[in-house]
Amino acid sequence: MCGIIGYTGSQSAAPILLDGLGKMEYRGYDSAGIAVLHEGEIEVEKAQGRLVNLLERTDNGKKPVGFTGIGHTRWATHGAPNDINSHPHVSGDGRFAIVHNGIIENYAQIKEELAAKGHVFVSETDTEVVAHLIEANYSGDFKAAVMKAVSRLEGAYALGIVCADFPGTVFAVRQAAPLIIGLGIGENFFASDVTALVSYTKNVIYLDDGEFAEVRPDGFTIYDSIGRPLEKPVSRVAWSIEAAEKGGYEHFMLKEIMEQPAAVKEAIAPRVKGGEIKLDDFELSGEDLRDINKIVITACGSAYHAGCCGRYAIEKLTRIPVEVKLASELRYEDPIIDEHTLMIIVSQSGETADTKAALEEGKRRGATTLALVNVVGSSIARLADHVLYEWAGPEIAVATTKGFTTQLALLYLFALYAAGKLKRIDDFEYARLLGEICSLPKRIQNAIDMNSAAAERLAEKYHGSTSMYFIGRNTDYAVALEGALKMKEISYVHAEAYAAGELKHGTIALIEEGTPVIAVCCNEDLLEKTASNILEVKARGAEVLALSFRENRDIIAHADDVLFIPRTETFFSEAVAIVPLQLLAYYVARDNGCDIDKPRNLAKSVTVE
Ligand code: F6R
């Protein structure tokens, strides 16, 4: 949601904090701020709006001066995004400054108590309350004050705290929100995300819930929730800073669309050995799989759509029933999940609050849990019984692209792996389908090459539309869902997806002269059926843009415009079919002058429910 960072060392803190905030701006971007310690004082600068405003206010980091500090980029939860509600927040006596990612659920009660004791609050935030609470518990021992204050907090939070009496020390506290300590030489860091740290160090420690760290220039100490020092393993970040930079592209989203062939290859290739699929540490025998009577896939947003896509391949190939559930619903549903359930949790960030809660619910009910996650060391990756990493590299654009297609690659691999173990398909079919999965990177590349110019051209025609309808059947419907989400979230064009056969049960009333209908027709078994739906909407004046393969002459004849993908095995077609729709959404958003990488109201990692 928000991004937090801390630095202590021998370099000027402000430029490092600002640079890190720039790398994490995708986590939230409605305001930003930094606090720097200098000669026993805390100096704070904050600015509403994008980070560029803070850069201006701080003269590109020339001020405030000092070697220890904390920073924050915000996605507002409590209080409007203005200068006052921006972090860092300072205690009443000015001795403590604090940055916070998450939500303090019991802040109102604490605020009332502190107000009764004379504390005066200036902002509407939950975070300011924590600064005052630390102040109220302080009698010269920084660590003790932090611990006492934190013991009162309920909710999800990652905190960074500095104290004017302790130059060179920052405290970082984690409870259900990501927090990573970065280890340098003569300097140390913390941040919500490794992208903020990789320019400075690749050696990191992932904090767990309830842990906190005292970070100094010459070292650090990690404590458990009752203040006992802990030994934690140091991990090495596998990717370089270039992976988190635009590399000549106008937007991260376009770069990430173009990276998909390589990312999908990275997800697949290391897991195919000697003509067989090996799912890292996730080993299930045919017998284990026969004991599973249901698979529940749970996720949010695009990751949920990945689950909708993967369901078709898993059910077709394994004949195990699959339910795909929105994590935000599952967690409050009293779901039918037990020790015979395999739960697949899909999350690019590995930090989505609802998805994490759904995973916890599944574990409580005895399910075996398998997480498909991109961010290494993230909460969901660590909580699940098993994890398969997407290996997509950092995804910076808020709208996911390579995160989505690598999730599909893992779901396809799982489907075929399970079908093989269950002996539901013969060796020949297994080898053929594995060949199809392995050819996805090439097909995705073809889809990019075939559609980049066409999508740009079609965007000129469609970008002024006020509403678009995406239709498809079965696997194509799952693609339509994700295509519509891409369109609306970055271009702000109202876009809805419908199962093609469902349109005439009400929604067709909205089709009028010139309404764009994007018809996904990549499922070989259902082409004729979707063709009929195209005729139905055309008869009501719709402008139809079909997505299909060149061999599908029928649809080409009916549609006003066509985008093509290479012909692809239906089971795995979603990973290719989505690419032209990502490009179309990108160019429509560009033509509409939208802020593509940071769409309004959104944030990359949704750590609040
Ligand atoms: C849309 C998008 C979101 C995420 C959703 C889940 O482009 O990116 O819908 O898919 O917020 O995020 P993760 O996968 O991080 O759990």
Side-chain angles (χ1 to χ4, degrees):
M1 220 77 263
C2 307
I4 66 170
I5 183 166
Y7 172 79
T8 180
S10 53
Q11 300 189 61
S12 188
I16 293 173
L17 299 173
L18 291 165
D19 175 59
L21 293 181
K23 302 276 172 21
M24 291 191 294
E25 208 184 358
Y26 68 91
R27 296 181 67 90
Y29 33 84
D30 51 40
S31 56
I34 55 176
V36 175
L37 281 175
H38 185 53
E39 294 177 352
E41 300 275 322
I42 295 174
E43 207 173 313
V44 177
E45 290 289 353
K46 3 188 195 184
Q48 180 182 345
R50 298 294 158 92
L51 185 65
V52 65
N53 299 346
L54 183 64
L55 286 168
E56 235 170 70
R57 197 160 283 180
T58 59
D59 197 5
N60 280 320
K62 290 200 185 73
K63 56 180 191 170
V65 177
F67 304 104
T68 301
I70 53 178
H72 187 270
T73 177
R74 179 166 188 247
W75 187 86
T77 56
H78 294 68
N82 55 33
D83 282 4
I84 292 177
N85 289 329
S86 306
H87 301 211
H89 289 283
V90 179
S91 56
D93 61 3
R95 207 189 292 267
F96 298 95
I98 180 164
V99 286
H100 167 213
N101 170 29
I103 286 185
I104 308 297
E105 284 164 4
N106 58 341
Y107 85 102
Q109 185 196 339
I110 300 173
K111 192 172 183 173
E112 211 179 292
E113 284 168 29
L114 292 171
K117 289 182 188 152
H119 287 257
V120 178
F121 297 91
V122 293
S123 80
E124 299 157 82
T125 66
D126 50 347
T127 307
E128 192 190 3
V129 172
V130 186
H132 283 258
L133 189 61
I134 296 173
E135 175 194 340
N137 283 290
Y138 182 67
S139 49
D141 184 339
F142 189 8
K143 179 184 160 207
V146 169
M147 280 182 64
K148 273 192 207 141
V150 164
S151 71
R152 287 286 321 274
L153 304 181
E154 286 165 22
Y157 47 86
L159 305 169
I161 311 149
V162 287
C163 173
D165 298 344
F166 290 79
T169 300
V170 285
F171 271 92
V173 185
R174 178 194 156 120
Q175 180 57 47
L179 198 56
I180 297 147
I181 308 298
L183 311 179
I185 297 168
E187 58 183 2
N188 288 301
F189 311 77
F190 72 78
S192 304
D193 193 321
V194 281
T195 48
L197 302 176
V198 278
S199 311
Y200 307 100
T201 178
K202 289 190 171 182
N203 296 325
V204 299
I205 293 177
Y206 296 97
L207 291 194
D208 281 300
D209 286 351
E211 294 175 356
F212 67 102
E214 181 182 345
V215 185
R216 305 170 302 273
D218 58 349
F220 62 92
T221 314
I222 294 174
Y223 300 98
D224 67 9
S225 58
I226 52 168
R228 292 175 304 200
L230 287 174
E231 288 292 323
K232 300 270 294 180
V234 176
S235 305
R236 185 118 182 113
V237 179
W239 43 267
S240 66
I241 186 61
E242 289 75 45
E245 287 175 344
K246 277 195 202 144
Y249 286 95
E250 200 179 336
H251 297 100
F252 278 110
M253 181 173 177
L254 190 58
K255 175 180 177 244
E256 288 159 10
I257 290 173
M258 300 302 175
E259 282 172 349
Q260 287 181 108
V264 169
K265 188 167 179 197
E266 198 54 42
I268 295 170
R271 294 176 169 125
V272 179
K273 293 182 184 125
E276 274 195 46
I277 299 167
K278 300 263 183 253
L279 296 181
D280 309 354
D281 77 329
F282 185 60
E283 275 293 326
L284 284 182
S285 64
E287 209 172 304
D288 296 332
L289 281 158
R290 267 183 286 276
D291 196 42
I292 290 170
N293 55 24
K294 177 161 85 167
I295 295 173
V296 173
I297 304 179
T298 190
C300 300
S302 292
Y304 168 78
H305 296 155
C308 296
C309 295
R311 172 167 82 91
Y312 294 107
I314 297 172
E315 281 194 337
K316 276 261 188 198
L317 290 172
T318 68
R319 306 311 294 158
I320 301 175
V322 180
E323 285 173 14
V324 190
K325 287 184 171 279
L326 289 167
S328 52
E329 290 293 310
L330 182 147
R331 60 183 297 191
Y332 299 116
E333 248 179 23
D334 191 10
I336 303 172
I337 289 176
D338 60 22
E339 62 279 14
H340 299 292
T341 309
L342 171 66
M343 198 165 173
I344 302 182
I345 303 95
V346 189
S347 177
Q348 188 284 131
S349 64
E351 300 293 349
T352 303
D354 284 319
T355 311
K356 190 169 153 229
L359 159 63
E360 282 160 350
E361 188 58 38
K363 285 189 79 157
R364 254 194 304 281
R365 289 168 189 256
T368 301
T369 54
L370 168 65
L372 312 184
V373 169
N374 191 35
V375 176
V376 175
S378 54
S379 305
I380 290 172
R382 280 176 305 147
L383 257 175
D385 301 323
H386 308 276
V387 59
L388 294 177
Y389 282 114
E390 299 174 43
W391 298 131
E395 190 177 64
I396 309 290
V398 164
T400 184
T401 51
K402 62 177 180 171
F404 176 76
T405 41
T406 49
Q407 286 163 353
L408 292 189
L410 295 182
L411 287 161
Y412 299 156
L413 280 174
F414 169 78
L416 189 55
Y417 169 87
K421 292 281 177 193
L422 285 165
K423 304 240 176 299
R424 295 256 193 247
I425 51 173
D426 61 30
D427 293 352
F428 179 78
E429 186 63 354
Y430 182 93
R432 185 185 76 78
L433 290 175
L434 186 53
E436 290 292 331
I437 293 178
C438 292
S439 70
L440 284 174
K442 195 179 81 209
R443 294 218 162 92
I444 292 172
Q445 186 61 57
N446 288 344
I448 292 172
D449 298 341
M450 289 161 87
N451 291 293
S452 289
E456 190 167 5
R457 184 172 44 75
L458 286 168
E460 283 175 28
K461 172 173 172 182
Y462 288 104
H463 76 96
S465 310
T466 48
S467 240
M468 290 185 188
Y469 295 89
F470 287 66
I471 60 169
R473 287 170 181 265
N474 196 266
T475 47
D476 290 341
Y477 172 47
V479 173
L481 286 167
E482 175 60 7
L485 180 60
K486 284 283 91 71
M487 183 62 76
K488 65 186 136 194
E489 68 181 329
I490 60 166
S491 75
Y492 315 145
V493 174
H494 169 246
E496 293 303 328
Y498 285 91
E502 190 59 21
L503 211 63
K504 57 177 149 308
H505 296 285
T507 309
I508 203 164
L510 295 173
I511 305 291
E512 50 190 33
E513 203 57 41
T515 305
V517 172
I518 289 91
V520 185
C521 312
C522 302
N523 184 316
E524 301 246 8
D525 302 330
L526 296 163
L527 298 177
E528 282 173 20
K529 301 288 170 199
T530 311
S532 316
N533 302 127
I534 290 179
L535 291 175
E536 283 161 14
V537 291
K538 275 204 72 69
R540 274 116 192 133
E543 193 73 9
V544 174
L545 165 56
L547 169 63
S548 194
F549 36 85
R550 281 189 206 283
E551 295 81 350
N552 184 2
R553 293 267 154 239
D554 216 21
I555 283 190
I556 298 168
H558 296 327
D560 297 289
D561 297 295
V562 193
L563 287 166
F564 291 114
I565 59 161
R567 203 169 190 163
T568 306
E569 166 62 51
T570 299
F571 289 137
F572 313 132
S573 60
E574 300 109 327
V576 183
I578 192 59
V579 173
L581 301 186
Q582 294 168 341
L583 286 164
L584 184 68
Y586 172 81
Y587 285 114
V588 168
R590 200 190 62 176
D591 289 354
N592 283 353
C594 299
D595 190 345
I596 294 179
D597 286 336
K598 300 185 192 88
R600 69 183 179 209
N601 305 339
L602 299 183
K604 182 77 183 155
S605 165
V606 185
T607 52
V608 292
E609 69 173 276

